[in-house]
């Protein structure tokens, strides 16, 4: 009944954002950028959220920063934005370079200052002068990779610290004239910030602590709610009689359920904290299902202590309630995990890893069911 390989796969996913965040950009992009930068070299190149890629080089003596930021625009109209923020790794205060693709395919470039009123859409986000000193600003289409690229050379002023530079980027679809409309409200859109040490080309990871906590929330719940609880149900349903009566089935069942409940509750509590501290996004269906799952699993844990003795006349009704509620919880857990994966928009390995977990458990159930029916038919045909 061991599910340790499945648990190992899920736990490895906890560290995948750290690995993914450190991935250098594609070799094809780096090669194309070197051709376009001409005399400017590329010191570092990294993949970013929303499928974007970012290459840069920095000269400490002259404080010259050369950047190339690229991504695909998948709609007829769209915009690509990259900027620096002297105030912190967030949108408000960003001095942005923006490239716009019009419906007719024409390309335009502008600069924008992002303020609190424009972020909350109380004021339109329209072009204006920014504080960045630039000797080069281009926006073009890289046909070989189907990328739209912002290329710029910036002289960093004293308000920017090269060892801790706040970089912000964004990709949007809606444009009204020169006014940028709201970008998609996905987590990846809200996570499009980084703090870079331009001098050592290192990513300062504390700016992404919330992203790692969200990942921990997802993985812990996949392990607790999504793996241990169904494993405990399988133990209770099948190992009492088939394939061989096991006198330890109840202890294993309770251990799986207790561990799953404790781990899942920890993940749920972390999710509650993340929801309370989030400012710009709410996921009401996911949150509501998580709350229902926690309440129902808590009831199931209490039922373990309050179950009637086998000879009690109400034991049959308790069994029906306990089984029905347990299966309902498992269905809600699977649904909510897939909702969470859709919200996080991680690498596809997440979804397929959990599908693999469910597939493995499902195959185990199918094997037990087939064995049970074969045993039943054999006993019916040959009662002696």
């Amino acid at each position: 009944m061991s599910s340790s390989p499945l648990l190992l796969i899920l736990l490895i996913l906890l560290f995948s954002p750290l690995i993914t965040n450190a991935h250098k950009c594609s070799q094809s992009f780096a090669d194309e950028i070197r051709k376009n930068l001409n005399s400017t070299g590329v010191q570092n190149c990294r993949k970013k959220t929303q499928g974007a890629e970012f290459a840069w080089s920095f000269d400490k003596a002259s404080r010259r920063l050369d950047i190339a930021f690229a991504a695909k625009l998948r709609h007829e109209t769209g915009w690509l934005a990259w900027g620096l923020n002297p105030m912190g790794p967030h949108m408000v205060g960003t001095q942005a370079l923006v490239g716009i693709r019009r419906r007719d395919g024409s390309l335009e470039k502008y600069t924008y200052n992002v303020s609190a009123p424009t972020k909350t859409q109380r004021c339109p986000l329209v072009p204006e002068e920014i504080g960045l000193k630039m000797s080069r600003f281009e926006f073009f289409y890289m046909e070989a990779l189907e990328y739209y690229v912002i290329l710029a050379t910036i002289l960093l002023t004293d308000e920017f610290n090269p060892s801790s530079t706040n970089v912000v980027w964004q990709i949007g679809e809606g444009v009204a004239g020169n006014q940028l409309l709201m970008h998609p409200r996905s987590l990846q859109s809200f996570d499009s910030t980084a703090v870079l040490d331009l001098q050592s080309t290192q990513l300062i990871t504390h700016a992404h602590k919330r992203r790692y906590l969200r990942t921990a929330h997802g993985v812990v719940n996949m392990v607790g709610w999504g793996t241990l609880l169904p494993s405990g149900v399988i133990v209770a349903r099948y190992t009492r009689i088939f394939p061989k009566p096991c006198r330890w089935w109840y202890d294993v069942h309770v251990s799986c359920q207790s561990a799953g409940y404790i781990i899942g509750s920890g993940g749920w509590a972390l999710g509650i904290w993340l929801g309370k501290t989030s400012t710009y996004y709410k996921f009401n269906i996911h949150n509501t299902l998580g709350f229902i799952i926690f309440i129902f699993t808590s009831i199931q844990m209490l039922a373990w202590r309050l179950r009637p003795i086998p000879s009690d006349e109400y034991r049959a009704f308790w069994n029906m309630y306990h089984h029905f509620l347990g299966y309902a919880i498992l269905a809600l857990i699977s649904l909510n995990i897939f909702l969470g994966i859709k919200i996080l928009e991680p690498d596809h390995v997440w979804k397929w890893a959990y599908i693999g977990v469910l597939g493995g458990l499902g195959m185990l159930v199918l094997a037990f069911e087939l064995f049970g029916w074969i045993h039943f038919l054999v006993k019916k045909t040959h009662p002696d």
Side-chain angles (χ1 to χ4, degrees):
M1 253 337 281
S2 174
S3 57
S4 56
L6 301 177
L7 291 176
L8 180 61
I9 292 172
L10 289 174
L11 289 173
I12 288 173
L13 292 177
L14 176 60
F15 302 98
S16 63
L18 296 172
I19 299 171
T20 302
N21 200 42
H23 274 174
K24 291 189 175 181
C25 60
S26 61
Q27 188 61 48
S28 56
F29 172 69
D31 292 340
E32 288 293 325
I33 285 301
R34 287 189 180 94
K35 294 177 186 177
N36 284 280
L37 287 176
N38 296 324
S39 60
T40 303
V42 175
Q43 290 179 346
N44 207 354
C45 192
R46 293 184 184 274
K47 291 183 178 180
K48 295 298 183 184
T49 59
Q50 307 185 73
E53 303 200 52
F54 175 46
W56 79 92
S57 63
F58 179 70
D59 182 73
K60 184 178 179 180
S62 64
R63 295 177 64 89
R64 168 176 164 163
L65 174 64
D66 292 280
I67 69 100
F69 178 72
K72 293 183 178 182
L73 298 178
R74 305 181 185 279
H75 299 269
E76 290 185 349
T77 60
W79 53 269
L80 189 66
W82 180 94
L84 298 177
N85 191 337
M87 301 167 56
H90 45 72
M91 192 70 68
V92 175
T94 298
Q95 300 170 33
L97 315 180
V98 178
I100 297 176
R101 184 182 72 177
R102 301 292 183 186
R103 191 176 299 275
D104 61 5
S106 62
L107 304 180
E108 300 173 8
K109 62 182 192 300
Y110 301 95
T111 57
Y112 294 77
N113 282 306
V114 184
S115 63
T118 58
K119 181 176 176 60
T120 57
Q121 297 182 296
R122 293 197 300 271
C123 294
L125 183 57
V126 294
E128 58 181 306
E129 294 293 323
I130 61 175
L132 296 181
K133 293 184 177 181
M134 296 183 296
S135 61
R136 181 186 191 184
F137 174 26
E138 300 176 17
F139 180 57
F140 62 92
Y141 180 60
M142 186 183 290
E143 188 172 1
L145 300 178
E146 299 182 347
Y147 274 167
Y148 290 85
V149 185
I150 291 175
L151 206 63
T153 298
I154 302 167
L155 181 63
L156 289 187
T157 57
D158 292 338
E159 67 177 334
F160 295 101
N161 180 2
S163 63
S164 183
T165 304
N166 305 306
V167 179
V168 182
W169 63 94
Q170 198 53 260
I171 301 172
E173 302 168 10
V175 181
N178 294 334
Q179 178 188 346
L180 304 184
L181 303 183
M182 184 64 184
H183 58 75
R185 296 178 179 272
S186 66
L187 284 181
Q188 289 205 11
S189 294
F190 289 114
D191 281 347
S192 295
T193 64
V195 182
L196 295 178
D197 183 347
L198 299 175
Q199 300 173 98
S200 65
T201 68
Q202 294 297 310
L203 185 68
I204 301 174
T205 57
H206 70 260
H208 302 282
K209 183 171 70 173
R210 187 182 299 275
R211 191 181 306 167
Y212 301 147
L213 290 176
R214 287 200 298 261
T215 302
H217 160 70
V219 173
V220 166
N221 282 335
M222 288 169 72
V223 172
W225 294 148
T227 305
L228 289 174
L229 288 189
S231 296
V233 171
I234 292 173
V235 169
R237 177 171 174 80
Y238 295 107
T239 62
R240 285 178 293 178
I241 301 174
F242 301 114
K244 181 180 179 181
C246 177
R247 61 193 182 108
W248 300 107
W249 75 266
Y250 184 74
D251 293 333
V252 176
H253 168 66
V254 171
S255 297
C256 284
Q257 302 304 85
S258 299
Y261 177 76
I262 293 170
I263 295 172
S265 296
W268 172 78
L270 179 57
I272 292 295
W273 179 84
L274 288 168
K276 293 293 184 182
T277 56
S278 65
T279 306
Y280 304 110
Y281 46 84
K282 299 290 182 184
F283 304 101
N284 294 326
I285 296 177
H286 183 65
N287 295 342
T288 301
L289 287 177
F291 183 76
I292 292 172
I293 289 167
F294 174 74
I295 294 298
F296 283 179
T297 50
S298 298
I299 292 173
Q300 289 289 76
M301 295 303 293
L302 288 174
W304 166 49
R305 301 296 302 173
L306 301 176
R307 71 189 187 283
I309 61 175
S311 59
D312 194 301
E313 62 178 315
Y314 295 105
R315 181 60 181 260
F317 297 103
W318 181 91
N319 285 341
M320 286 189 290
Y321 130 76
H322 186 64
H323 295 161
F324 175 80
L325 186 59
Y327 293 133
I329 290 172
L330 294 185
L332 290 176
I333 285 172
S334 297
L335 172 62
N336 212 29
I337 286 175
F338 282 115
L339 281 176
I341 291 173
K342 184 177 180 181
I343 290 169
L344 283 176
E345 296 182 359
D347 190 276
H348 289 304
V349 69
W350 279 64
K351 181 176 72 174
W352 289 112
Y354 189 61
I355 289 174
V357 170
L358 294 182
L361 295 174
M363 292 296 291
L364 195 60
V365 168
L366 181 61
F368 277 129
E369 286 288 343
L370 287 174
F371 183 89
W373 277 103
I374 292 171
H375 182 81
F376 170 76
L377 293 174
V378 169
K379 291 285 288 183
K380 185 176 180 180
T381 307
H382 306 283
D384 294 333

